[in-house]
Amino acid sequence: MGVTMANLESNATELFGSFVLGDDEFALPASTIREVVNFPDKISALPLAPPFLEGMFTLRGSVIPVVNLGRIFQPDAPRAEKSHKIAILDFQHVQVGILFHATGEVLRVRPDQRTTLSYASGSTQGVIAGTILLDDGERLIQVLNPAALISIENVPQVLALQSTCQKQQRHNFRTQAARRRCVSFRAGPAAFAFEMGGIQEIISVPEIHNSMLNSKLCLGRINFRGSPIGVVDFAQLLTENGAARDTAEHTDAERRIIVIRMDDATVGFMVDTVDNIIHFADDEVMPIPLLSKVRTDMFSGCISRPEVGDVILLDHQKILSRSEITDMRKGHANLYPDEAKPKDGAAAVKRQSGRQVYITFALDAAYAVEIRQVREIIDFSDAITCPPGMPDYMRGVLNLRQQMVTVIDMRSLYGMPALVAAPAPKILVVERGADCYGLVVDAIDSIMTIDDSKRFAAPSLMRNPNAEHSLANEMREVIDINDSPDGVRKTLRIFDCDRLLQSLDALRPAQAA
């Protein structure tokens, strides 16, 4: 790379903001500095990111990737610390946080105090654009190149990002677009989500059969409803160098396999935990600049909320390439030719029958609720307010994104004892007209697609005629699954949200005329 020095010929005085990094001083044009902020309380890891990307955080509706400038020059430089500052660079509608040790001052620089670096034609543009000499040459400040800083590694679809920003500037209010749903999960240090439409099922981890014919991405295969499918460790997929990751943080009971349909292929992704169902609108998805060049198409954006943190939304169709899917399917077809053949006869008839998607959850026993009856799932919150005079079964009210949710303690409602030393419960958010309810349950287990033929009327022995108000008495139907993906026969009581809300209406005291 050829580099030449040239003095500026412009007569205009320029403004720069200076920053300190170790023993060096750097500067950015003042017009490109949006603001300087303290190191955020929470910074989320960026998957597949190069070493100099510390992570990302959200700032007033924008996702800000944080660049550790020291690691650009020296890859093994120290990581960020809480005492560091972040300068928000705003250039060409892309915002990037530049990590510094301390802020400097605002400089008014004459042309004779500046020099620029001129890079040879065709060479990579460096992050240093030139220098500023002050105090009779005793003080040297390196000028950073904003254009290089926003494109060090990769800015996916920069033109689309610019278009998005321009549209958001024209529409500075929350649109009433159709809302969508996604399922959030954790894999490694970050939180991700798949849109609901891309998920076939979410299951507990069954026995995984290893094979020497597996591809490098594939852990093995599982028997999923009579067919072999490949299983990919999602967190391992997100390690660029393929290094082994620490799996001690999560137990096998917490891990789940998210079964995704990718065109004509079915693939399972093993994740550490499945967290919530998130209800969101298009304008809540913020674009993510500055990701690695690896698998950038799979990142659709970021959803950021206080109750869920930063969640990276994924495009399930673009996680694996066609060649990777083909290799995975070919290995299983060669090893298990009988299982890979499509079933015929009675099995084909069964596949043509109606199917429903259910969320399974725990409340002493195992229950299932049709997913269409639930708007979203959230973590139990300490922000619930309990007004005086409410019944025991009402935990209080929760402000969920400017909508008041009445929180119902299901255990108290049905006379169940409180759990001792239980993990944090979940809240099923149910919306009926203008009313919104949050139903507190012990835990969310999985999301399953089940044939209507598996749904039966509940036996009368499951009901307790002596109980005046019993959850079991309201369960009119059950699901019997003898071919569940984990190989365990299950009987799930079907929970009907509408029946529950009718019961709550009956419990309300009559209003005086």
Side-chain angles (χ1 to χ4, degrees):
M1 177 183 70
V3 180
T4 60
M5 303 290 291
N7 288 324
L8 290 176
E9 296 181 355
S10 170
N11 293 321
T13 300
E14 296 181 86
L15 283 179
F16 291 86
S18 70
F19 306 90
V20 177
L21 180 65
D23 297 329
D24 298 318
E25 193 172 6
F26 296 87
L28 279 166
S31 60
T32 67
I33 302 174
R34 172 176 158 182
E35 59 187 300
V36 177
V37 299
N38 293 326
F39 197 84
D41 293 332
K42 178 176 174 53
I43 187 166
S44 301
L46 279 167
L48 296 170
F52 53 78
L53 277 180
E54 289 284 342
M56 68 177 186
F57 71 104
T58 54
L59 180 66
R60 291 188 286 281
S62 297
V63 176
I64 309 293
V66 179
V67 174
N68 187 331
L69 192 62
R71 286 188 155 227
I72 293 178
F73 305 122
Q74 185 178 346
D76 59 350
R79 306 289 306 192
E81 298 179 5
K82 292 291 186 180
S83 60
H84 292 168
K85 301 287 186 180
I86 297 177
I88 307 300
L89 170 67
D90 191 338
F91 188 73
Q92 295 180 353
H93 301 297
V94 178
Q95 295 175 12
V96 179
I98 309 299
L99 189 73
F100 291 95
H101 293 162
T103 56
E105 55 189 298
V106 176
L107 304 172
R108 188 176 296 275
V109 180
R110 302 190 309 271
D112 61 292
Q113 295 173 312
R114 279 209 59 194
T115 58
T116 60
L117 291 176
S118 177
Y119 291 84
S121 177
S123 64
T124 302
Q125 296 293 307
V127 297
I128 304 299
T131 62
I132 299 172
L133 284 176
L134 302 176
D135 300 338
D136 297 326
E138 295 295 324
R139 183 181 176 190
L140 175 67
I141 302 172
Q142 300 176 73
V143 179
L144 297 172
N145 182 354
L149 285 171
I150 69 166
S151 57
I152 296 170
E153 179 74 9
N154 186 41
V155 181
Q157 303 144 348
V158 171
L159 293 178
L161 270 174
Q162 294 176 352
S163 174
T164 300
C165 290
Q166 291 165 0
K167 289 178 181 178
Q168 289 177 347
Q169 290 169 359
R170 290 194 298 267
H171 302 281
N172 57 357
F173 55 89
R174 177 60 54 88
T175 64
Q176 299 300 317
R179 299 186 71 83
R180 297 146 61 188
R181 290 191 296 175
C182 62
V183 176
S184 67
F185 62 92
R186 298 199 71 86
F192 303 89
F194 285 126
E195 279 212 63
M196 191 75 75
I199 298 175
Q200 187 168 339
E201 291 195 24
I202 298 176
I203 61 175
S204 300
V205 179
E207 181 183 3
I208 298 178
H209 302 277
N210 294 316
S211 162
M212 61 184 300
L213 295 180
N214 290 338
S215 70
K216 64 180 181 179
L217 293 174
C218 187
L219 287 172
R221 62 101 193 176
I222 62 173
N223 188 332
F224 180 71
R225 303 198 181 281
S227 299
I229 67 170
V231 176
V232 174
D233 185 338
F234 192 85
Q236 191 73 27
L237 178 71
L238 297 178
T239 57
E240 189 174 6
N241 56 9
R245 68 183 183 97
D246 182 12
T247 59
E249 183 179 350
H250 298 280
T251 65
D252 290 339
E254 293 177 299
R255 292 191 178 91
R256 294 291 184 268
I257 292 179
I258 302 179
V259 181
I260 298 292
R261 188 71 178 173
M262 306 172 71
D263 292 333
D264 59 342
T266 302
V267 178
F269 292 96
M270 188 170 73
V271 301
D272 292 334
T273 61
V274 171
D275 296 332
N276 299 311
I277 293 178
I278 300 174
H279 198 233
F280 68 100
D282 290 344
D283 62 337
E284 293 182 86
V285 182
M286 297 176 288
I288 307 175
L290 275 176
L291 294 174
S292 166
K293 296 178 181 178
V294 182
R295 303 185 190 276
T296 54
D297 288 345
M298 76 179 188
F299 299 103
S300 297
C302 177
I303 300 171
S304 181
R305 291 180 184 163
E307 69 268 23
V308 297
D310 296 334
V311 179
I312 299 173
L313 184 64
L314 304 170
D315 185 337
H316 68 280
Q317 293 284 10
K318 298 178 180 179
I319 292 178
L320 299 177
S321 67
R322 292 306 306 172
S323 61
E324 288 170 335
I325 296 174
T326 300
D327 288 346
M328 197 178 303
R329 295 176 65 186
K330 186 182 299 181
H332 294 148
N334 291 339
L335 192 60
Y336 305 100
D338 293 336
E339 293 184 6
K341 293 179 181 178
K343 306 293 189 298
D344 52 14
V349 174
K350 184 179 292 186
R351 282 199 303 272
Q352 294 174 2
S353 66
R355 296 168 70 85
Q356 304 295 332
V357 181
Y358 297 86
I359 301 170
T360 65
F361 64 91
L363 192 66
D364 267 357
Y367 295 88
V369 59
E370 291 184 21
I371 200 168
R372 60 184 174 83
Q373 294 190 17
V374 178
R375 190 184 86 176
E376 58 188 298
I377 298 174
I378 61 176
D379 292 326
F380 189 82
S381 172
D382 294 332
I384 297 174
T385 302
C386 186
M390 300 184 75
D392 292 340
Y393 61 83
M394 294 183 66
R395 280 290 185 97
V397 292
L398 173 67
N399 187 339
L400 183 64
R401 299 186 299 282
Q402 307 306 312
Q403 185 176 22
M404 300 309 295
V405 179
T406 303
V407 181
I408 307 297
D409 186 329
M410 299 288 284
R411 283 186 164 273
S412 177
L413 177 65
Y414 292 107
M416 300 178 183
L419 289 180
V420 179
K426 295 287 188 178
I427 298 179
L428 305 179
V429 179
V430 179
E431 195 172 41
R432 294 295 182 274
D435 296 326
C436 197
Y437 299 89
L439 312 180
V440 181
V441 301
D442 297 345
I444 300 298
D445 182 37
S446 60
I447 295 177
M448 307 179 71
T449 302
I450 301 173
D451 292 333
D452 289 342
S453 61
K454 304 290 186 183
R455 186 166 174 164
F456 304 95
S460 58
L461 290 176
M462 293 183 66
R463 304 175 189 172
N464 182 4
N466 297 320
E468 180 179 354
H469 192 59
S470 166
L471 178 58
N473 288 347
E474 296 193 7
M475 304 298 107
R476 304 301 176 90
E477 293 180 292
V478 297
I479 296 171
D480 184 62
I481 312 172
N482 56 14
D483 62 344
S484 61
D486 54 10
V488 178
R489 182 167 187 146
K490 297 179 180 179
T491 299
L492 304 171
R493 298 176 179 183
I494 298 180
F495 182 81
D496 190 328
C497 292
D498 291 329
R499 189 181 299 277
L500 168 66
L501 299 184
Q502 291 172 8
S503 298
L504 291 175
D505 286 337
L507 291 173
R508 292 177 180 173
Q511 296 182 352

